[in-house]
Amino acid sequence: MRVLPLPDMPPIAPSQRKRALFTDAPDELGSGLAALALLERATGSGTWTLALPERQLLWSAQLARLLELPVTPAPDWEHFPKIFAPGSRERMTLALQACLNHGTAFDEEVQVVTARGKVVTVRAVGEAEHDASGALTHLAGIVKDLTAEKHAEQETQSLTMRLGTTLASITDAFVTLDRNGLLTYVNPESERLLRRESRELLGQPIWTVLDDNRQESLRQNLTAALTNTTHREFEIFCAVPGKWLELRAYPFEEGLALYLRDVTERRQSQEQLLLLQTSISRLNDIVLITEAGTVDTPGPRIVFVNDAFERHTGYSRAEVVGKSPRMLQGQRTQRAELDRIRLALQKARPVRAELINYKKDGSLFWLELDIVPVDYFNRGLTHWVAVARDITERKASEEEIEHLAFYDALTQLPNRQLLMSNLRLALSHTENPDKSGALMFIDLDNFKVLNDTRGHATGDLLLQKVAVRLNGCVRLRDTVARLGGDEFVVLLEDLGDDPQIALVKAKIVAQKILAALCEPCDLAGYDYDGTCSIGITLFNQHQHNVGDLFKQADLAMYQAKAAGRNAICFFDPGMQAVVTANAALTSELRQGLRNEDFVLHYQPQVGRDGDMVGAEALVRWRHPERGLVAPDSFITQAEDSGLILPLGQWVLETACAQLAVWAQRAETEKFGIAVNVSVRQFRHPEFVEMVMKAIDQAGISAHRLQLELTESLLAKDMDVTIAKMGILKSAGVTLSIDDFGIGYSALSYLKYLPLDQLKIDRSFVKDVLTDPNDAAIARTIIGLAQSLGLGVMAEGVETEAQRDFLARHGCHCFQGYLFSKPLPIEELEVFIRGLPQNSR
């Protein structure tokens, strides 16, 4: 018997023990008792003591909690054994009595029953203590909860058994290859098959090991399995072992798992087609022979089974001879496969099948069957010989591989392939074609920021937690899938026949998801508050195009993002119409650029005396069907599609070329041209180089070119913006802020910008005489420009009164229909020639 010594403690009077040792709060006995209480909690133990001779039993608060009883009062000594379970009570009664009577220590593993009836396995340790004279003064003991230890032991045993079972189940020759075809693992059966030890084989190419002649078919088959990530089975004659081998290759992440089976004898048996040779060649596999009777009920009768049949099925030979093989079939036996076998037997043809059969104890197993007809001594068809092998383990491996093929490795959610399959299945139900469902696209807002700042491991952890939360928001029959990145999809089926009710149900689920994903998330100590955008499209069985549903949900999701994120948006046909129209417009713009369908119109800009000082270049599109199209109809789409870059470059080069023409004439040599520059153009890494190249190629003075920048350019990346503007300014290019006052201008930045001019937007000029606010804004912009030493120009000037108001407050450059509308270059030249001599 093992004895667990109690901790060394200073002598404590009985009254002190009663007050201190068996309560939670430490008292005047100091840190020693507090340490004992801490030790009890840390080890899951409780202590007790029996004071003698009065036999007063006291126990600690931890022991009382273990037994789910109050700390006080402790039970009488006579009732103390009743805390132990019936199976342990007698043994503990004897141990406690022996300790009391003879001072015999004990150390037992027993069970106790708590006040709530829970049975707990514990370690009970006790010993007697004596005074200096040898007289027994008290008993002391410890009760330790062994629940956690027992659970850990059971888990270890279970894991060991599973691992042992898995390894023992691989009875075929089995090897693994890396992605270059090099052997990385060889089991003992493979060593026997290849007649070489593993140390000779590891690291060798499989095609060299199996065939010195290096047949291309072997290499091609294995390479195809690796490339296509699909399992392959084939037979090949391998010169090194001198055998026909059946190879079954299963791809996994690091390479291939390869089963090798010697099928030389089977090959020979198929050629010879003799009953005796066929059965003998398969003695290690299941062999079943029937008479060649009718395949209809009751079917051919069994005349022979081998020992392997008895071992695998549990049936003895006597129990099956004379009966039909149908006795092995059951509920999950594939009817379609049985029909295929029956058709082959009716035509007296060999057939191979993989079939679920049932053992005598009712458990199922998979068999790979080869059934061949036998013409015994040329008497015609006399028997059917079925040779089979148990492929249950292989099927389990295939199921695991299938899981890897159809489920996301990170979140264990269905992947795109399985989602598409489930959606097609949902659309194929024809019993109720009006039944509605919903497809939701869910995109995590600002996920890239988390990935970039906290690392991919944190991002992956968030994706896993999102998967759990999404599954918690839907029914078991619904599908939650991950498409990749931070995109998830939820497929809701069976939402009813009424589309309105289906919409309400889908919205409720979406709101539930939105709320769940907005909850704070602990990412390994990092508190993360995230949101998501959800796009939803409804469907029924009248729709058959899975791709269209994906596009619709995707469009709705992007609409939710455009609405400010953390939002839900349902698809409506208008979204598709807009997307289709934008796609068509993009295609036409691209074609227009190829066909040089764009032209520049120029609107004159005049000074304080009405003399022309330059013009603004405004692009127009000579559409082959719609005629001359203004920029408001296509510039936004050009921005979104990226075509603004080649279009903007053409505008810049064309304007520079016109400046070069004007520079040749005295009456126009001082004119400048203003060109609008989009944010996307300006932020292009090579924008400055493109501007300087256009200036150099045209051979013009850089200060004649004015670039009009939008206020939205000032919304972010100010350091980069200021640097680029500084380079252009140093080169002599004139810089202006267009439509000033309607965008994002931060006045604090203006003093840092190397500007030449502010341009008052036409919206302020329009009502400058009637709206005091517009008048105040116009005056403020003029005053601001003057204080910063900048020029100021007003656009959209249409009346003399507007011009006079602006001039009176210090604006002396104008542009608008009061002077001229935008003109093609030919009409602008006529306009210039009509100007007074001093206006040129």
Side-chain angles (χ1 to χ4, degrees):
M1 180 181 295
R2 295 176 296 124
V3 178
L4 175 67
L6 291 171
D8 293 333
M9 297 290 295
I12 302 172
S15 61
Q16 291 175 317
R17 280 195 199 93
K18 183 173 181 180
R19 291 197 317 271
L21 186 55
F22 301 102
T23 63
D24 282 329
D27 59 8
E28 67 275 5
L29 295 180
S31 60
L33 296 180
L36 177 59
L38 179 61
L39 179 61
E40 284 186 317
R41 288 195 297 274
T43 61
S45 304
T47 58
W48 58 267
T49 185
L50 180 68
L52 297 174
E54 59 268 26
R55 294 196 179 187
Q56 181 180 11
L57 178 67
L58 299 173
W59 59 22
S60 68
Q62 181 66 20
L63 179 54
R65 280 193 289 270
L66 174 62
L67 299 173
E68 298 179 327
L69 287 169
V71 178
T72 59
D76 296 335
W77 174 251
E78 288 72 16
H79 293 89
F80 185 50
K82 291 184 178 180
I83 70 171
F84 297 98
S88 306
R89 192 171 296 157
E90 182 179 354
R91 175 153 53 109
M92 284 306 300
T93 300
L94 293 174
L96 290 167
Q97 197 62 38
C99 189
L100 178 63
N101 294 338
H102 307 295
T104 305
F106 60 86
D107 187 345
E108 300 285 349
E109 185 175 305
V110 293
Q111 292 180 323
V112 296
V113 181
T114 71
R116 296 181 183 176
K118 184 170 71 174
V119 178
V120 180
T121 301
V122 300
R123 178 184 177 188
V125 180
E127 64 180 20
E129 294 193 17
H130 302 79
D131 60 16
S133 64
L136 189 63
T137 59
H138 64 276
L139 304 185
I142 294 177
V143 178
K144 177 178 173 57
D145 185 353
L146 298 180
T147 302
E149 295 179 15
K150 289 297 179 182
H151 179 72
E153 289 177 7
Q154 292 171 358
E155 285 293 317
T156 301
Q157 291 173 358
S158 174
L159 178 62
T160 302
M161 291 176 64
R162 289 199 302 272
L163 181 59
T165 301
T166 301
L167 294 175
S169 66
I170 302 178
T171 57
D172 288 343
F174 173 77
V175 300
T176 60
L177 314 175
D178 66 14
R179 301 195 68 81
N180 295 317
L182 305 182
L183 287 159
T184 56
Y185 171 78
V186 179
N187 75 345
E189 187 62 30
S190 299
E191 292 180 303
R192 287 191 290 272
L193 176 66
L194 302 174
R195 298 191 295 274
R196 295 170 67 182
E197 294 183 359
S198 61
R199 66 172 179 270
E200 302 176 65
L201 297 170
L202 294 178
Q204 296 296 317
I206 186 66
W207 30 82
T208 303
V209 169
L210 293 179
D211 196 332
D212 280 336
N213 296 324
R214 303 185 183 181
Q215 297 183 48
E216 276 303 310
S217 60
L218 172 61
R219 187 165 189 162
Q220 288 171 356
N221 273 288
L222 296 180
T223 302
L226 279 168
T227 304
N228 301 327
T229 64
T230 56
H231 92 272
R232 297 179 73 89
E233 296 186 16
F234 57 95
E235 294 180 3
I236 190 167
F237 182 78
C238 299
V240 174
K243 297 177 183 294
W244 278 94
L245 297 182
E246 178 192 72
L247 275 65
R248 304 194 303 276
Y250 299 91
F252 62 99
E253 186 174 354
E254 285 80 17
L256 279 182
L258 189 65
Y259 291 84
L260 300 91
R261 179 181 290 272
D262 181 2
V263 294
T264 304
E265 293 182 357
R266 190 185 71 193
R267 282 274 181 161
Q268 295 170 348
S269 68
Q270 289 173 344
E271 294 173 358
Q272 296 172 6
L273 295 176
L274 295 175
L275 173 62
L276 183 60
Q277 290 176 336
T278 302
S279 59
I280 292 175
S281 67
R282 291 295 179 175
L283 287 180
N284 290 329
D285 292 331
I286 294 173
V287 177
L288 181 148
I289 304 174
T290 70
E291 294 177 340
T294 175
V295 295
D296 298 325
T297 305
R301 293 183 301 112
I302 298 173
V303 297
F304 172 80
V305 294
N306 68 347
D307 292 343
F309 176 93
E310 293 182 299
R311 290 193 303 271
H312 279 81
T313 66
Y315 289 106
S316 67
R317 192 173 284 109
E319 290 176 298
V320 298
V321 170
K323 297 182 180 178
S324 168
R326 288 189 174 93
M327 66 181 296
L328 300 176
Q329 299 167 12
Q331 183 178 4
R332 291 187 57 189
T333 304
Q334 311 95 302
R335 298 299 141 188
E337 199 74 347
L338 290 174
D339 291 341
R340 191 173 67 83
I341 294 172
R342 184 179 297 108
L343 181 62
L345 296 184
Q346 287 173 343
K347 296 180 179 180
R349 292 178 178 172
V351 63
R352 171 179 284 192
E354 292 182 355
L355 205 63
I356 294 176
N357 286 284
Y358 288 81
K359 299 181 181 181
K360 185 177 181 180
D361 63 8
S363 59
L364 66 82
F365 66 108
W366 279 87
L367 282 181
E368 183 182 69
L369 286 167
D370 280 305
I371 305 175
V372 295
V374 176
D375 179 359
Y376 193 57
F377 291 115
N378 297 317
R379 292 187 300 159
L381 181 61
T382 60
H383 295 86
W384 292 102
V385 176
V387 180
R389 60 175 174 271
D390 189 335
I391 58 170
T392 306
E393 292 298 329
R394 191 185 89 192
K395 284 294 182 181
S397 298
E398 290 175 356
E399 288 178 3
E400 183 178 354
I401 292 170
E402 182 179 2
H403 180 84
L404 295 174
F406 290 105
Y407 288 84
D408 175 53
L410 177 64
T411 62
Q412 300 306 309
L413 294 177
N415 60 15
R416 178 187 290 271
Q417 189 171 354
L418 184 54
L419 172 67
M420 298 284 277
S421 176
N422 289 352
L423 183 54
R424 290 191 189 97
L425 185 62
L427 295 175
S428 67
H429 296 316
T430 56
E431 65 274 7
N432 187 358
D434 294 322
K435 186 177 292 184
S436 294
L439 189 68
M440 296 183 182
F441 266 41
I442 303 164
D443 187 87
L444 304 184
D445 298 331
N446 301 313
F447 177 75
K448 185 177 184 299
V449 176
L450 175 69
N451 250 354
D452 292 343
T453 57
R454 306 297 300 188
H456 290 283
T458 303
D460 288 348
L461 183 56
L462 175 63
L463 295 175
Q464 291 170 335
K465 290 181 178 288
V466 166
V468 173
R469 293 188 183 185
L470 288 177
N471 272 323
C473 294
V474 300
R475 303 163 298 181
L476 287 176
R477 63 176 177 269
D478 297 325
T479 300
V480 177
R482 180 184 176 222
L483 295 187
D486 61 334
E487 291 184 339
F488 295 84
V489 176
V490 173
L491 172 62
L492 303 177
E493 301 185 58
D494 259 347
L495 297 182
D497 302 337
D498 187 332
Q500 287 304 315
I501 294 176
L503 185 145
V504 171
K505 290 180 178 178
K507 187 173 183 179
I508 290 172
V509 174
Q511 289 172 337
K512 189 176 180 182
I513 290 172
L514 205 65
L517 299 190
C518 284
E519 287 292 322
C521 190
D522 179 16
L523 303 179
Y526 172 67
D527 291 330
Y528 178 73
D529 291 304
T531 59
C532 68
S533 301
I534 303 176
I536 308 173
T537 186
L538 299 179
F539 66 85
N540 55 38
Q541 279 70 42
H542 294 293
Q543 296 164 287
H544 301 291
N545 195 317
V546 173
D548 286 347
L549 291 179
F550 267 67
K551 290 177 186 177
Q552 292 169 7
D554 199 31
L555 282 174
M557 184 268 291
Y558 278 105
Q559 191 69 22
K561 281 196 173 294
R565 296 188 169 94
N566 194 26
I568 300 167
C569 183
F570 281 83
F571 171 80
D572 67 66
M575 292 180 185
Q576 187 65 55
V578 169
V579 171
T580 302
N582 287 341
L585 181 57
T586 299
S587 178
E588 290 179 347
L589 284 170
R590 188 172 284 109
Q591 186 64 37
L593 284 168
R594 283 197 292 265
N595 295 342
E596 299 182 353
D597 289 337
F598 293 92
V599 294
L600 287 185
H601 284 198
Y602 299 87
Q603 187 170 32
Q605 297 173 332
V606 300
R608 77 169 67 213
D609 299 324
D611 52 328
M612 181 175 171
V613 296
E616 180 179 3
L618 300 168
V619 67
R620 299 290 188 267
W621 183 9
R622 292 179 303 196
H623 195 280
E625 298 174 3
R626 289 183 281 163
L628 198 64
V629 180
D632 292 348
S633 301
F634 62 84
I635 285 296
T636 300
Q637 188 58 29
E639 284 269 10
D640 293 341
S641 65
L643 293 177
I644 194 68
L645 297 176
L647 179 59
Q649 185 174 359
W650 175 84
V651 170
L652 182 65
E653 292 173 351
T654 304
C656 288
Q658 185 59 47
L659 283 172
V661 172
W662 282 348
Q664 303 302 315
R665 307 203 314 258
E667 67 271 21
T668 58
E669 63 179 352
K670 294 182 179 179
F671 289 172
I673 294 180
V675 175
N676 291 286
V677 176
S678 73
V679 174
R680 190 160 186 173
Q681 272 183 281
F682 189 86
R683 294 218 167 106
H684 190 280
E686 298 178 2
F687 174 72
V688 173
E689 289 78 3
M690 287 190 293
V691 172
M692 300 313 300
K693 182 179 179 181
I695 292 172
D696 292 342
Q697 287 181 341
I700 61 172
S701 298
H703 70 278
R704 298 298 178 193
L705 176 66
Q706 181 180 76
L707 300 182
E708 293 191 357
L709 311 175
T710 63
E711 279 191 282
S712 57
L713 186 65
L714 310 181
K716 62 179 182 178
D717 297 332
M718 281 299 300
D719 291 342
V720 176
T721 299
I722 292 172
K724 282 189 176 183
M725 291 176 68
I727 296 172
L728 292 169
K729 178 71 174 176
S730 299
V733 178
T734 305
L735 300 175
S736 169
I737 293 292
D738 193 18
D739 303 333
F740 187 79
I742 67 169
Y744 305 88
S745 289
L747 299 181
S748 61
Y749 278 114
L750 284 179
K751 64 181 180 180
Y752 300 113
L753 298 176
L755 292 171
D756 295 283
Q757 184 186 76
L758 299 182
K759 198 168 185 181
I760 304 174
D761 184 67
R762 68 182 63 248
S763 63
F764 302 131
V765 174
K766 178 181 177 183
D767 297 321
V768 72
L769 301 176
T770 59
D771 188 331
N773 292 328
D774 285 348
I777 292 173
R779 288 195 301 268
T780 301
I781 294 174
I782 295 170
L784 178 64
Q786 290 174 342
S787 67
L788 294 174
L790 302 178
V792 61
M793 176 174 288
E795 64 178 356
V797 178
E798 298 181 356
T799 67
E800 294 283 352
Q802 290 172 343
R803 182 187 65 177
D804 293 344
F805 174 88
L806 293 166
R808 191 162 58 250
H809 289 90
C811 175
H812 303 296
C813 290
F814 313 97
Q815 176 182 337
Y817 275 68
L818 175 63
F819 311 101
S820 174
K821 68 178 182 178
L823 301 171
I825 187 61
E826 297 81 9
E827 295 182 22
L828 180 65
E829 292 290 356
V830 173
F831 175 84
I832 293 172
R833 286 195 293 274
L835 291 174
Q837 187 67 30
N838 62 350
S839 298
R840 300 180 190 176

